[in-house]
Each structure stands twice: as structure tokens, then as C-alpha cells.
Amino acid sequence: MSKLTRLTVLGSTGSIGKSTLDVVARHPDRYRIVALTAQQQDELLFEQCQRFRPRFAVLLDEAASERLRIRIAAAGLEVEVLCGAAALERVATLPEVDAVMAAIVGAAGMPPTLAAAHAGKKILLANKETLVLAGHLFMEAVHHSGSALLPIDSEHNAIFQALPRNYAGDMKQGGVSKILLTASGGPFRNTPLEELRNVTPEQACAHPNWSMGRKISVDSASMMNKGLEVIEAHWLFNAPADAIQVVVHPQSVIHSMVQYVDGSVLAQLGNPDMRTPIAYALAYPERIDAGVAPLDLFAVAKLDFVAPDFQRFPCLSLAYHALRAGGTTPALLNAANEVAVAAFLDRRIAFLDIPRLIEVVLGKVARKEVNELQDVLDADAAARIAAQEWVAR
Ligand code: NAD
Ligand code: MG
């Protein structure tokens, strides 16, 4: 019998957060929830508190936390309600916590995830923005504190599974020649280019294979999600940009592959359901039931692969550019993209304005070296101001 893992779930009300709790609920003997957090969804967080009885519940929003406090008291639950960004870091670093699911969306997820790394927690990393913004600082913290780092992003989880056990970030030593990062191509893979001009947030969020939060759904439609994942793969596996190849695979059955120098290619397959990578990371190196239906290969019948179209998806080129430029450029790219996606979801800019806005910001805000966290935070803030100006122009 393996020992109990005590868990903090950052972003428990989101798509990844809910899938995490679904897996946890299947294994009450293995996992105990210490803390749950959300931005402002106090009703759902209350339901989760009733079900999982955490010690702490954190809301970013003050009014929402007040509402939650009242409901918790009325229900007689022994849950301490905290509020604000500092509380996220607190519950990510509590001595009684073994593992942290980092599932907040966007740059806001970076500080508590970095704090968990400094505290040596096992980190289940869904928040790819942490690596895009502060990959070097985060990986350094992980190595320094001895944290175990398990990728949740389905592609990176697949790569992790296909790499040699105990891969230590040395492709040559591992006999690895390439990381093959698969991409569905999103809802607009075959949409005529002139129609892309007028696509709506609803169309962009209607992903053909995956059900996800709205931000990452738009990123999948622009393929910025894949661009951010290229940067994520660079930091996780110490792979140079040239060794990371995006492969469009519309069925989303192969979640990514590793190519070896002897000609072997190892792939991880499964139904597109995030509970598989979540369960893998939770139980690693063991395997547990995730509630996911077995893959029916006869129903899948065929697997297609095509090269990515960089003309159609300029966000992908912008992300490769940012990775190669290094320094604060990936942080600028990410911040500009977050502002652009929010503005698109608010119908303030068009879908094709997303890469335009990012280019403007990268041209306007100067790249700097990253020596400390403040450099990243400054770049993030400067890019947001420049991006907001463009949206409001
Ligand atoms: P989501 O929008 O469904 O949920 C986000 C969660 O973060 C919610 O609990 C929300 O309350 C919280 N949150 C949002 N803004 C916050 C803020 N400023 N401060 C504190 N908490 C905040 O997002 P999601 O789709 O679950 O994605 C979460 C992360 O996982 C993202 O980084 C995404 O890129 C990554 N990811 C998601 C999927 C997926 O299938 N959804 C797959 C791979 C990676
Ligand atoms: Mg992914």
C-alpha cells in the first residue's frame, strides 16, 4: 500500500482542477486534499469544500471569499478561508503538503508554482506559463530544492513517458534525436483563410477533440498553445528549438513522440482526456485508474500527420522566435498573447489581430536578460501596458 499524498490544487474550479478532483475522488485511500483555490468561483469552491474537506480554501477575490466564509460557517465545515495572491503561495508551500497541482491559467499561476518549487514540493505542472515566463529560474529552483516535476500538459506528459527513465536533460546521453510535439491543428485547421477574419469566440472555443478552459481553447485555435508548448518542452527536456518538431495530427490520439538516434520513435497514445496525464503524474511511478475509457484502435482506424502551416498560424512562428531570442522575449510574447486573447474573447479585437498585436508588442518593448524574477515581472507588466494601448487605439 503506497503512502498518502497530501495535495494542494491551485485552480481547482478550472478544467484541469475539476479533472484532478475527479481522479482524486477515485482513490480516497491515496490522496488527501489540503487546499483548494480559485479566482472567484465561490459556489463551486464551496461544493468542492463540502466534498473534499480541505484545511484551506483560497479565493483571489475578496468579496467571493467573504461569501465563501459565510457558507462554510453556516455548513459547519472546518475549512479556513483565505484571500489574495499571497495566500496562494502560502498553501503551495505548507509543510504538510506533499504535492501541488499547478492548474491556474496564465501568468498569475507562476508565483505560487515557483514558490512550490523553492519549497521542494512535488509539482504537477499544468500551468505552462510558468515555464514560458521563467523557465530558467523555475528549473533552477526545481533542481536546487530537489522537487519532483511531472508535466500535466498531455504532450509533455507523453514525452515524459516516452523518454528514457531517469532522463537527466541530456538528449545525447539518452540517445534522443528529436521531440515530436503533436498538435490537433485546432478548429481552424482547414477553415478558408478569408473566413478566419470573422471567426467568433464561440467558434474558436469549439475544439474538435479536447474540452478545455477558454483561454487555452483560443490558444489552440491560433496554435499559440503549441508555440507555448514548444517553449515548455525546451525547458522541461533541455531540448534546443531545432530539436522540437511540431507534427499536426488531427485525431489527437498520439499525444507526442520521442525520436531516437537508432531510428526508433516512441509514442504515447490514448483517448483525449486530461485525466490520463493527471493520474499518471499523481501516481508516478505507479499507474492508477483514471476513469478514462480504453482506446479503441479499430474505432480510430487511422492516424494522419501533416506539417504545420506557419503562414496560417503566425503565432507558432512568433513562439519559435521568442524561444530563440530568449531573455524576456517569451514573457513579452505570453503577456501580449494573454491581453490579445482576453480582448478577442471580449470581442474588442478580431482573431487575426492576435498575432498582429503580439508582433507590435515584441517590436515595441525591448528584450532584456533575465537575472532575477523581477526582470520577468517587469517585462510582463510592460508588455501588458503596450498591448492594452494597442487594443484601446
Ligand atoms: P480554466 O480557465 O478552466 O481554469 C483556471 C483556474 O485558475 C480556475 O480555477 C480559476 O479560478 C483559476 N484562476 C484564473 N485566474 C486566476 C488568477 N488570476 N489567480 C488565481 N487563480 C486564477 O483553465 P484550464 O483550462 O484548467 O487551464 C489551466 C492551466 O492548465 C493553463 O495553464 C493551461 O494552459 C493548462 N493546460 C490545460 C489543459 C486543459 O485541457 N484544460 C491542457 C493542458 C494544459
Ligand atoms: Mg497540450
Side-chain angles (χ1 to χ4, degrees), residues 10-19 37-41 59-60 85 88 102-109 112 125-130 152-155 210-217 219 225 228-229 232 274:
L10 300 172
S12 65
T13 57
S15 167
I16 295 287
K18 286 189 274 190
S19 293
T37 86
Q39 184 174 29
Q40 55 189 15
Q41 299 87 331
L59 282 158
L60 196 69
L88 296 174
I104 291 174
V105 63
L125 186 70
N127 180 268
K128 61 192 85 184
E129 294 87 349
T130 294
I152 294 297
D153 216 340
S154 57
E155 296 77 2
W210 296 95
S211 146
M212 308 180 284
R214 278 161 72 78
K215 154 74 169 51
I216 185 175
S217 296
D219 284 348
N225 182 50
L228 299 178
E229 290 184 356
E232 183 183 11
M274 289 307 293

Side-chain angles (χ1 to χ4, degrees), residues 34-307:
V34 179
L36 297 173
T37 86
Q39 184 174 29
Q40 55 189 15
Q41 299 87 331
D42 55 290
E43 285 190 24
L44 179 52
L45 196 57
F46 175 68
E47 284 168 28
Q48 293 180 341
C49 286
Q50 276 186 312
R51 180 137 188 233
F52 293 94
R53 307 290 166 114
R55 252 198 79 198
F56 298 97
V58 183
L59 282 158
L60 196 69
D61 185 79
E62 204 176 325
S65 72
E66 221 19 74
R67 289 194 295 271
L68 181 66
R69 212 166 271 135
I70 291 166
R71 302 182 81 166
I72 295 272
L77 295 179
E78 280 179 37
V79 179
E80 194 175 330
V81 179
L82 305 173
C83 171
L88 296 174
E89 292 190 38
R90 180 171 164 211
V91 298
T93 55
L94 292 167
E96 70 210 76
V97 166
D98 303 305
V100 174
M101 166 57 80
I104 291 174
V105 63
M110 190 263 285
T113 308
L114 192 58
H118 282 299
K121 302 303 181 194
K122 173 177 174 176
I123 298 173
L124 317 180
L125 186 70
N127 180 268
K128 61 192 85 184
E129 294 87 349
T130 294
L131 283 171
V132 174
L133 283 161
H136 183 67
L137 298 175
F138 178 73
M139 293 307 289
E140 219 172 51
V142 164
H143 292 139
H144 191 251
S145 70
S147 290
L149 176 60
L150 281 308
I152 294 297
D153 216 340
S154 57
E155 296 77 2
H156 306 74
N157 190 275
I159 294 160
F160 184 86
Q161 294 195 44
L163 279 169
R165 249 308 143 87
N166 302 324
Y167 174 76
D170 188 334
M171 287 181 58
K172 198 160 178 204
Q173 192 190 26
V176 175
S177 55
K178 236 176 203 169
I179 303 281
L180 304 174
L181 194 65
T182 54
S184 68
F188 303 142
R189 190 169 58 87
N190 294 319
T191 306
L193 282 177
E194 58 282 7
E195 281 178 32
L196 278 187
R197 224 181 293 258
N198 299 317
V199 292
T200 63
E202 290 69 32
Q203 288 171 298
C205 288
H207 197 278
N209 308 334
W210 296 95
S211 146
M212 308 180 284
R214 278 161 72 78
K215 154 74 169 51
I216 185 175
S217 296
V218 175
D219 284 348
S220 297
S222 69
M223 283 195 81
M224 178 54 93
N225 182 50
K226 211 47 55 180
L228 299 178
E229 290 184 356
V230 169
I231 302 173
E232 183 183 11
H234 162 76
W235 289 113
L236 282 174
F237 309 119
N238 195 27
D242 293 338
I244 306 168
Q245 162 86 62
V246 173
V247 177
V248 176
H249 162 50
Q251 291 91 356
S252 298
V253 165
I254 294 181
H255 298 305
S256 277
M257 297 171 267
V258 175
Q259 178 186 294
Y260 286 86
V261 288
D262 62 2
S264 298
V265 174
L266 299 192
Q268 185 258 356
L269 288 73
N271 285 316
D273 187 323
M274 289 307 293
R275 290 176 302 174
T276 295
I278 289 167
Y280 181 82
L282 275 171
Y284 179 80
E286 294 172 34
R287 300 257 182 189
I288 55 172
D289 170 40
V292 177
L295 180 65
D296 181 349
L297 281 173
F298 300 121
V300 173
K302 91 192 185 86
L303 302 173
D304 295 309
F305 305 98
V306 284

Side-chain angles (χ1 to χ4, degrees), residues 4 64 79 122 206 308 316 348:
L4 194 69
V79 179
K122 173 177 174 176
L316 193 52
R348 296 180 68 198

